[in-house]
Amino acid sequence: LQAQFPQQIALSLSNDPTALTNVLNMLSANDTATIKEGERLLKPFLKNPPCIASLINQLTTVVDISVRHHAALLLKKKIGIFFPKFGSNDQANLKSEILQIMIREPIKSVAVAIAGAVAVLTKTIFAKNGQWPEIFTILMQLSHDPNENMRSLNYELLGQLAEQVTKQLKPHAETLATMFVMGCQDAVPAVAKAALAA
């Protein structure tokens, strides 16, 4: 990859999931030179809309936790920029897929990073006067989930949404207040702590 031109690198990383995994792995290296090289290789790749599908593929197929975490953080950086450039079918699929990926992610740090991407996407959609009622449905669903990790994730997502789309949350203030009270009174300390932090 090092000898290729930027356009070739972008194409390679878009078309070759293993190459992208290897470059994302470089971001977790113990030496600065390797990390900087990984960032250099990612730069042209991250300038094009196809990077979104490639990063989502990493989140759904790669076993390595640090690779998934880096993919989620990069997705958070780029999803708001490229989402408006997709057709309506691709937008609908992306909205549905990212929520499912967030819920299915077993590692908390990765799920929280994906929640960050969901919050940025929500801001992008609402900024264009778009609709995403599923975001409120998922908040309610997670707040009542029997799994404490899902309840905790709910407050992580809510906290990030509060930073991104405060105005759009105002009409739901009563419901959200009830949700916060439920979270603060949760029997599981980690859930109560997440609710207080949100």
Side-chain angles (χ1 to χ4, degrees):
L1 277 176
Q2 278 85 342
Q4 293 180 344
F5 292 111
Q7 299 91 331
Q8 291 173 310
I9 294 171
L11 199 58
S12 295
L13 296 181
S14 292
N15 294 334
D16 184 351
T18 306
L20 180 55
T21 301
N22 292 338
V23 173
L24 289 172
N25 234 333
M26 293 170 78
L27 301 179
S28 297
N30 284 331
D31 72 292
T32 311
T34 304
I35 294 169
K36 293 237 180 268
E37 180 61 11
E39 290 170 346
R40 185 188 72 78
L41 292 169
L42 283 168
K43 208 169 187 177
F45 163 74
L46 293 169
K47 287 183 178 176
N48 299 294
C51 75
I52 301 298
S54 300
L55 292 169
I56 282 180
N57 181 58
Q58 296 288 306
L59 288 171
T60 56
T61 61
V62 176
V63 175
D64 188 292
I65 295 165
S66 65
V67 168
R68 291 203 312 277
H69 191 247
H70 285 301
L73 293 173
L74 291 171
L75 189 63
K76 179 182 177 180
K77 275 186 176 179
K78 295 296 172 178
I79 199 164
I81 296 165
F82 292 130
F83 182 78
K85 298 181 181 189
F86 296 135
S88 55
N89 282 348
D90 289 337
Q91 287 183 345
N93 290 338
L94 180 56
K95 283 157 59 176
S96 171
E97 192 173 11
I98 196 168
L99 290 177
Q100 290 309 309
I101 291 168
M102 180 184 70
I103 291 167
R104 286 194 306 257
E105 175 54 56
I107 305 299
K108 183 181 177 183
S109 61
V110 181
V112 169
I114 298 168
V118 169
V120 169
L121 180 55
T122 305
K123 180 182 181 179
T124 305
I125 291 165
F126 289 162
K128 303 269 185 203
N129 296 317
Q131 299 295 312
W132 197 9
E134 293 84 357
I135 199 72
F136 298 106
T137 306
I138 209 86
L139 286 169
M140 289 306 295
Q141 181 186 320
L142 290 174
S143 69
H144 292 93
D145 199 290
N147 181 334
E148 65 189 65
N149 293 330
M150 291 292 103
R151 294 197 307 278
S152 182
L153 177 62
N154 177 60
Y155 295 104
E156 298 283 358
L157 174 58
L158 202 46
Q160 296 199 56
L161 283 171
E163 288 175 23
Q164 300 283 348
V165 290
T166 312
K167 189 173 138 191
Q168 286 80 7
L169 291 178
K170 279 182 184 170
H172 306 275
E174 202 172 310
T175 306
L176 296 175
T178 306
M179 204 182 286
F180 276 118
V181 171
M182 273 173 47
C184 292
Q185 294 173 346
D186 200 289
V188 178
V191 177
K193 185 179 173 187
L196 283 167

